[in-house]
Amino acid sequence: APTICEINGRRWVLGPEAEEPMIWNNAQKWCESVGGVLPPREILLLAYMNKEIVGSFASDTYWSSSSDYSDYAWGQYFNSGYQNYANKCSTYLIRAVKSIEVTP
């Protein structure tokens, strides 16, 4: 699987994408069901900035795991690079990632 980035002793690897958009709580459960996690917003931004990775995403909005308040979470817009928070009941695309510890 393609590596998004290595940061703070961890390698973030691209995982599968869900077939359908879903609400935030279901997005987290789906990522766990495929052996991954919902990516933090910083990792999604790095994926957007990585020219080798960005083409693996649709030109649309993806949920991140980064929550803001109790009812909101951050999304990454892959058509513009912009990030914004939305109500967790909104439906966005989902891409799982894996976080692997890098041993020196």
Side-chain angles (χ1 to χ4, degrees):
T3 297
I4 299 169
C5 65
E6 285 190 23
I7 189 167
N8 295 332
R10 302 209 66 79
R11 177 178 296 135
W12 292 88
V13 179
L14 203 56
E17 183 167 340
E19 292 182 16
E20 300 288 330
M22 58 187 77
I23 65 171
W24 190 78
N25 288 336
N26 292 347
Q28 288 196 314
K29 292 174 189 171
W30 182 85
C31 288
E32 290 172 12
S33 78
V34 296
V37 296
L38 196 59
R41 66 185 279 214
E42 297 84 0
I43 299 303
L44 281 179
L45 180 59
L46 290 171
Y48 175 79
M49 295 168 59
N50 185 327
K51 300 301 180 210
E52 296 174 12
I53 297 289
V54 71
S56 301
F57 289 83
S59 184
D60 208 335
T61 308
Y62 287 77
W63 275 125
S64 80
S65 64
S66 304
S67 185
D68 199 10
Y69 308 106
S70 61
D71 294 333
Y72 292 85
W74 287 87
Q76 173 69 48
Y77 296 76
F78 274 85
N79 54 355
S80 66
Y82 184 69
Q83 291 187 338
N84 197 12
Y85 58 90
N87 189 289
K88 291 178 181 179
C89 291
S90 301
T91 56
Y92 289 142
L93 297 174
I94 300 15
R95 191 73 186 250
V97 297
K98 290 186 180 184
S99 174
I100 302 164
E101 188 172 355
V102 178
T103 54

